[in-house]
Amino acid sequence: DLAERVPESAIPELNQLSVSFNSMASSLGDVEQRRRELVSDLTHELRTPLTVMRGYLEELADGRIEGTPELYLRLIRETRRLERLIHDLQELSKAEAGYLSIDSQKLNLHPLLSSLVDRFADQLLEEGPSLILDCPEDIPLVFGDRDRTEQILVNLLGNAIRYTELGSIVVKATKQHRQVWISVTDTGVGIAEDDLPYVFERFWRADPSRSSHSGGTGIGLAIARRLVELQGGKIEVESKLGKGSIFRFCLPVA
Ligand code: ADP
């Protein structure tokens, strides 16, 4: 910690210095601004679970709280959050640097979508939304990377489930001209119109979900967009606050 290593008397000067650095930096234009925001978002995201964990561990060490199973579960949850964040960041930086290899081949979407839907259906609670597949068995083959397409869908389905309490989530595939569009439609919380332009930006999260309880990292859709683009497709969103959302992407017919 820098503050611990500098003498007290130097702190006003340091503050002054940081004020002038900030004002210099603010004139450096959008790219630099965006980069700084990113670093600060990232720092915040990484620090939050660490702070929670340190707090509990200190109280445990001092004997102020008991090591109950619930407490350990909470600590594990925070550890998982950190792991997920680091994993997502790794994927995102690989995708952005173009290091993710894309191995596009003729791909049959029907078995891919039905196995994904089965897998996610197992995670849903009985009182939660239902998960429906709407894909003709003879959907034309597309040209795409199986693993990457699955990863996109895992992100979209994970979100649909996370942000939908009741109703239904429909995974649909339809051919349109030379493309197959794959959509995930939910009846969940939806996204405000003003927020829609930002949903694919990394670290962006709608306000009510900023708290850690949603478990989100704001990276999933940025990765999804990159993976769609790397396969030559595009991704779109339509949504109404309080009503639900449709995320869809296309892949070329093989
Ligand atoms: P996160 O890990 O936070 O879900 P994403 O990049 O996947 O990150 O999504 C960014 C934000 O977009 C979410 O935090 C949420 O506010 C909003 N969002 C994404 N998918 C949905 C959805 N199906 N319904 C409502 N809001 C969504």
Side-chain angles (χ1 to χ4, degrees), residues 84 88 155-164 184-186 188-192 195 198-210 214-224 237 239 244-247:
R84 198 168 50 225
D88 284 358
N155 291 359
L156 297 183
L157 268 168
N159 281 347
I161 289 171
R162 200 174 315 149
Y163 301 108
T164 306
V184 177
T185 305
D186 67 57
V189 296
I191 301 161
D195 287 340
Y198 307 107
V199 293
F200 296 107
E201 304 253 316
R202 37 171 136 64
F203 303 120
W204 185 87
R205 280 191 273 158
D207 254 340
S209 63
R210 283 224 170 244
S214 87
T217 56
I219 300 176
L221 287 177
I223 294 176
V237 58
S239 189
S245 315
I246 308 179
F247 283 87

